[in-house]
Amino acid sequence: MADPAPRFQQLLPQGAPGELEAAPLLDEMFAALSPPAGRPLTLVNFVASTDGRATVEGRSRGLGDDGDRSMFHGLRERVDAVTAGPMTMRVERYGRILRAPERRERRLARGQSAEPLACLVSRSGRLPTDIPLFGCPEARVIVFAPATARADLDGLAAQVEHVALEPDSLTLPEVARRLRADFGVATLLCEGGPTLFSALLAEGLVDELFLTLAPLLVGGGLAAAITSGAPLPEPVRLRLLWLLEREGSLFARYGLG
Ligand SMILES: NC(=O)c1ccc[n+]([C@@H]2O[C@H](COP(=O)([O-])OP(=O)(O)OC[C@H]3O[C@@H](n4cnc5c(N)ncnc54)[C@H](OP(=O)(O)O)[C@@H]3O)[C@@H](O)[C@H]2O)c1
């Protein structure tokens, strides 16, 4: 028998029902979302330690628990497309986006495709083509990369569509525009990493941040935070939309803008 779904205590907004699972919360949230014109509504999901680190020994795996996984997969189950930076896909060994058949069945019942598109953006054209995702015949992967990347994409088992853009026009606003206009993506989930998240923030392309704060201290340098690179032109103010708790982890949903 399958394990029972994790249950969360909703701390904010006040007056919300006590314990609940991720599914009804996310169903209600997605029903109320309204994508902006010309690009997908973009949700970003991260897990961090309480001292603000996004990795343990170079990967996020050691940070998230069952509650984090249920939120992570619950978001994947409901969006039109999932993206992550090439480095994240490489390090985390990305595979099929929705492995659980029951999640794919629920998508079909909602009138969506069986699984979300996977989307990869690379300006260098150095693609992680050896990850399991590209070996999965059911996966549909949209790759935004220069024309030179074409040779690496031939012969892969996944259904890959290469949108060839040269570095000057390979910008995140252009990718967002094309995802909406050419691929019908109204909701996009970005799963990091810090470099891609920072670039999306700098372009004003992030609508919501889902941040799991794990009850762990990891130590080490500040290099491994959820953002990276140069400071943003000015601090981005977040609106706390909900706060959940489960077994000491805090699950915050923030709105931007
Ligand atoms: N805790 C968490 O929730 C979490 C989530 C995700 C990742 N992580 C961790 O984060 C690490 C990987 O993150 P990362 O920051 O090194 O890399 P990343 O954000 O995964 O990927 C960075 C790459 O994105 C590509 N890119 C495309 N458009 C870009 C743009 N406009 N600006 C900048 N880059 C763009 C570039 O690839 P090209 O050079 O090919 O152009 C760049 O090198 C891993 O250790 C992973 O485990 C943690």
Side-chain angles (χ1 to χ4, degrees):
M1 209 170 68
D3 290 337
R7 295 180 72 80
F8 300 83
Q9 192 74 36
Q10 185 156 2
L11 306 179
L12 292 171
Q14 281 177 346
E19 280 208 336
L20 75 181
E21 295 175 8
L25 200 61
L26 292 174
D27 282 339
E28 193 181 330
M29 174 197 125
F30 271 84
L33 290 179
S34 105
R39 67 170 179 85
L41 183 107
T42 302
L43 314 175
V44 174
N45 187 33
F46 270 99
V47 58
S49 65
T50 300
D51 54 349
R53 307 299 188 270
T55 56
V56 178
E57 295 176 352
R59 295 185 65 174
S60 60
R61 182 164 290 183
L63 293 169
D65 63 3
D66 287 353
D68 181 60
R69 279 184 285 279
S70 81
M71 200 58 79
F72 176 94
H73 291 294
L75 288 167
R76 280 188 167 192
E77 183 188 314
R78 288 163 177 81
V79 292
D80 296 330
V82 173
T83 191
M87 191 59 83
T88 294
M89 289 207 183
R90 185 176 286 120
V91 169
E92 306 283 351
R93 303 285 305 158
Y94 264 50
R96 188 170 185 175
I97 300 293
L98 281 188
R99 277 183 217 150
E102 63 274 16
R103 291 195 184 273
R104 299 199 292 270
E105 282 157 22
R106 287 198 292 265
R107 280 178 68 92
L108 290 171
R110 287 187 205 108
Q112 295 177 286
S113 58
E115 46 199 304
L117 295 175
C119 168
L120 184 58
V121 185
S122 168
R123 298 178 299 184
S124 72
R126 285 189 294 275
L127 302 168
T129 47
D130 62 334
I131 58 175
L133 178 71
F134 284 111
C136 172
E138 295 85 2
R140 193 171 159 217
V141 191
I142 316 296
V143 176
F144 293 86
T148 49
R150 170 79 71 204
D152 291 341
L153 297 171
D154 285 342
L156 297 171
Q159 306 159 49
V160 179
E161 288 181 56
H162 178 200
V163 180
L165 291 172
E166 292 319 306
D168 282 356
S169 48
L170 214 174
T171 64
L172 294 174
E174 177 63 5
V175 167
R177 190 189 71 72
R178 294 221 182 190
L179 281 176
R180 186 72 190 268
D182 301 343
F183 298 98
V185 175
T187 49
L188 174 68
L189 174 64
C190 173
E191 297 179 338
T195 304
L196 182 59
F197 179 37
S198 297
L200 287 167
L201 283 172
E203 297 284 5
L205 291 172
V206 179
D207 297 291
E208 295 197 8
L209 170 65
F210 289 76
L211 179 62
T212 301
L213 209 54
L216 294 170
L217 299 172
V218 173
L222 265 176
I226 67 166
T227 54
S228 71
L232 293 164
E234 52 187 79
V236 173
R237 180 160 292 282
L238 305 174
R239 284 175 289 114
L240 185 62
L241 299 177
W242 75 40
L243 184 65
L244 316 176
E245 187 274 343
R246 177 182 177 273
E247 296 187 358
S249 287
L250 294 172
F251 299 82
R253 173 187 170 209
Y254 295 102
L256 281 78

